[in-house]
Amino acid sequence: QVQLVESGGGLVQAGGSLRLSCAASGSIFNINLMGWYRQAPGKQRDLVAFITSAGTTKYADSVKGRFTISRGNAKNMVNLQMNSLKPEDTAVYYCNTKGSLLSGPLDAWGQGTPVTVSS
């Protein structure tokens, strides 16, 4: 079993900042990638950003220059610093991790943390 525990969502005014964190635990052998996706009401779940074990990062065009993804100090942890937030950033944010378990491939999701940006 793998658990992803997310924290840091909430309500913020436009222009404000939030920091999301995600910690993975369980029978994890190796993590190749940790990332964040978001899903707004009535829309599909889209990639926000990810970071590989080598430190390579990728961002959605809509968040480049405003969001920063980083590995946490603790093992199997990832953070998403979100600055200059806009109302269109409102969504449920999901942590995702890919790699391998002791028993097979790993592709796990967190329960989601809501982010609401008011105008």
Side-chain angles (χ1 to χ4, degrees):
Q1 282 282 43
V2 175
Q3 275 194 322
L4 298 185
V5 178
E6 301 145 334
S7 61
L11 173 64
V12 65
Q13 288 189 330
S17 298
L18 284 174
R19 183 178 177 88
L20 305 183
S21 295
C22 172
S25 62
S27 303
I28 298 172
F29 178 72
N30 182 56
I31 288 180
N32 295 327
L33 178 154
M34 294 191 78
W36 291 92
Y37 288 71
R38 67 185 180 187
Q39 187 167 19
K43 296 190 176 181
Q44 67 181 19
R45 188 175 299 186
D46 292 324
L47 174 70
V48 176
F50 69 71
I51 183 166
T52 70
S53 58
T56 301
T57 58
K58 179 179 174 64
Y59 296 91
D61 288 343
S62 59
V63 307
K64 282 180 182 176
R66 300 188 298 122
F67 291 11
T68 302
I69 191 168
S70 61
R71 299 301 291 263
N73 290 331
K75 190 180 177 183
N76 297 345
M77 190 169 185
V78 66
N79 301 310
L80 184 70
Q81 178 66 41
M82 305 187 294
N83 298 329
S84 302
L85 282 160
K86 304 175 181 180
E88 51 264 45
D89 294 317
T90 294
V92 177
Y93 284 69
Y94 296 89
C95 180
N96 173 257
T97 184
K98 292 180 173 60
S100 54
L101 301 169
L102 297 174
S103 56
L106 166 65
D107 187 354
W109 294 88
Q111 78 283 359
T113 185
V115 170
T116 302
V117 184
S118 63
S119 57

